[in-house]
Amino acid sequence: MIDDATVSKIFDAANILDVVSDFVALKKRGNNYFGCCPFHNEKTASFSVSPAKNIYYCFGCHKGGNSVNFIMEHENLPYYEALKYLANKFHIEVTETERTPEEQERHDDRESMIVLNEFAKNYFIRNMTETEEGRAIGYKYFKERGFNEETIKTYELGYSLSDRKAFTEFALKSGYQLKYLISTSNGQTNSGTGLTIKHDDGYTFDRFSGRVMFPIHSITGKVIGFGGRVLDARTKGVNVKYMNSPQSEIYDKSRSLYGIYQAKASIVKNDKCFLVEGYTDVLSMHQSGIENVVASNGTALTIEQIRLIKKFTNNITVLYDGDDAGIHAALRGIDMILAEGLNVKVLLLPDGEDPDSFARNHSSSELEAFIGANETDFVLFKTRLLLGDAGNDPIKKAELINDIVASIAAISDDIKRLLYVKECAKLMDIEEAVLKDATEKKISKITYQQLEAAQKERERERRQKEMAEQTPAQQSQTPEQRPILNEETALNNRVCELESELLKYLIQFGDKVLFEVKKENEPAEIVTVSQYILNELKINNIAFKIDACRKMLDIYISTAEHNTTPDDSLFTQCHDADVSSFAVKLLVSKNEVSKEFWDKRNRYVPPEQGHLKEMVDITLNHYKFEIAQQEIKNIGKIIAQLQTEPDNDEKIAEQLTKLGVFQRYIIKLGDSLGIVMPRK
Ligand code: ZN
């Protein structure tokens, strides 16, 4: 648990723009920033961030809140963990009071592994700069490869000593536990960093001894794993030059990209990402001024990696060495990028060059000029390449057409696909209609899996929409706990809508004069919106039913008592996460939702243009009507219960009287609202 003062400090420091920018590419529009929503699938940016209000809000799926809400939602963390995340990001020291053993345990593994990796990273850096061996071997290696101090620092490069026990012993001596040093399977994933290898006989040694070290950072800059390269002198007879940290709780190589942390700002700025293969390709390109570059860690590109890039841009340029085998192997992964809706270009380097050597041997302006002149659209590139391979061989040409068809069919955008059919037909010298036909056949074939995926996506969107319409109390339940939408939840939705509407009047127009009460020989007494609504609730003995609404009303009342109108931030920056996310939804859409509310009832008049009293009254009456209906339902239930037991006649009669009162009341309210009630 974190004490209140620290929580306040975290809330004050957690700048929403910094927090969201780690995950979403944002562009400035007016005073706000917009990007594609990370919570629902969309092509146009409807996700907004307001630095002034320190909140985010999506106009598509209506998710909103402050920095804490964002981290909770995006990283799927509980409130407490989200606070810790932000404290860490904004360098706020957290003095923790005691945790329960369960909390401690859950929290420990990941945290300990990250801390250990950080420790190891610093140790490897010190090895390289402060030991003779490190300088003579590790540092010399990077220098010979042409990397300067800044690059070494930016990517936090280091060196692991050749003494096979050096790191493990130092870590143990520094108080780190062996279980986090080694890699142990806990059934599903591995816990532990695997920096140390443990033999069956108990003998332990460093995984990376004698290697130069490349820390692999998460999107937020945490060291989640390492790549280690054997040095040239030792590569003779060694097949595997590079070794990576094993898969673990914190490191999944198919979900991470080398260099993403250092590249993300530049990717957003340039609206483009270069994809290369190896660590040194990234370093050389970055050093030569092209900073929007990442590597796939030597694995075949995965969907998760593509989606990681897609958070920042829709444009990918893949760089290939000139060698033939490499190109053909790499081509395969690209259909997947097309299917994700990204625009893919290909840059083929001159024979014998790789991105590393090419970037090293050319100035940044030469590099940029070369890219500009040689970047080719992927599908056209592939067509030309395969066409060259096929020559005049008809069988090979048929294969080639199939291959191209697969790529074109993967493109989800209809117009783009048609353009490719046109271009490629021309290139391959076949009838456009034939290619179009083949593509369509392929689509119907390949899409079984895609359809399934799309189906799931639609299902997710539907659920999201449903969630948006539910009350916050319902949202915090898991799907299993949530009752199916029945009459009762529908009633709750209406109650939630009306309580929200009343809150909006209070917050937006609370200090506006609603009417004057004339008195003889005395100055007229004014009644504000706030006084009127609060009084109406009081005399009718109504407390708000929806949790978040009630809490907001409490905040409102306690500030109104001091004769001040509460500022929006009092709600949106509230330390109760349910309240803040609900408040953002309510306040951002202050006008829109009101309009929707009144449009439904065919009587929208902007409150600014008078009629405030009329609209407040109608809202209050609608609200009282719903509450009375709930009351009638409750009484019905009570009577049914009483009837199951003997000797309850008196109590039943009592309830029936009460029921009569409410029924007459509701008919009267219904009349004033134009709702026809069945009269019994
Ligand atoms: Zn959204």
Side-chain angles (χ1 to χ4, degrees), residues 36-42 46-47 57-63 464:
C36 282
C37 180
F39 304 124
H40 83 280
N41 199 11
E42 63 171 3
S46 48
F47 181 83
Y57 181 74
C58 174
F59 289 92
C61 66
H62 305 293
K63 284 204 153 74
Q464 228 163 37

Side-chain angles (χ1 to χ4, degrees), residues 350-419:
D351 239 358
E353 298 266 25
D354 57 31
D356 179 10
S357 66
F358 194 73
R360 255 187 295 127
N361 299 328
H362 294 83
S363 71
S364 85
S365 56
E366 280 172 341
L367 204 56
E368 271 167 37
F370 182 83
I371 292 168
N374 293 286
E375 231 176 11
T376 326
D377 178 273
F378 165 69
V379 178
L380 302 181
F381 169 83
K382 182 171 170 181
T383 310
R384 281 195 206 107
L385 180 81
L386 297 184
L387 214 50
D389 291 349
N392 288 324
D393 185 337
I395 296 173
K396 273 197 178 157
K397 196 162 174 191
E399 270 171 21
L400 145 76
I401 293 172
N402 277 331
D403 211 334
I404 298 298
V405 162
S407 288
I408 299 177
I411 297 167
S412 49
D413 186 304
D414 293 345
I415 296 169
K416 228 157 73 178
R417 205 169 53 234
L418 277 179
L419 287 174

Side-chain angles (χ1 to χ4, degrees), residues 469-471 474 484-499 545-546 601 622-634 637 666:
E469 284 161 6
Q470 283 166 348
T471 64
Q474 290 165 346
I484 30 172
L485 267 175
N486 51 26
E487 214 183 322
E488 199 171 312
T489 51
L491 197 62
N492 268 333
N493 279 343
R494 284 202 298 279
V495 168
C496 181
E497 186 188 27
L498 286 157
E499 291 183 354
K545 302 277 182 266
I546 306 295
R601 292 158 180 83
H622 268 292
Y623 183 56
K624 288 179 202 164
F625 182 85
E626 296 296 344
I627 296 296
Q629 265 198 315
Q630 270 198 349
E631 208 58 53
I632 287 172
K633 283 235 162 62
N634 284 341
K637 273 188 208 155
I666 211 167

Side-chain angles (χ1 to χ4, degrees), residues 551-610:
K551 286 177 183 164
M552 278 185 76
L553 186 65
D554 286 346
I555 296 173
Y556 183 89
I557 291 173
S558 64
T559 35
E561 272 168 0
H562 298 99
N563 285 325
T564 48
T565 320
D567 185 76
D568 283 6
S569 68
L570 214 57
F571 307 103
T572 61
Q573 307 302 316
C574 170
H575 292 188
D576 183 320
D578 283 340
V579 174
S580 58
S581 72
F582 183 75
V584 167
K585 211 147 75 178
L586 190 132
L587 294 171
V588 170
S589 57
K590 246 188 259 185
N591 301 313
E592 288 86 4
V593 176
S594 289
K595 186 162 174 344
E596 209 175 281
F597 175 84
W598 291 102
D599 274 348
K600 251 193 247 168
R601 292 158 180 83
N602 285 325
R603 49 205 306 179
Y604 182 67
V605 189
E608 295 84 350
Q609 296 173 20

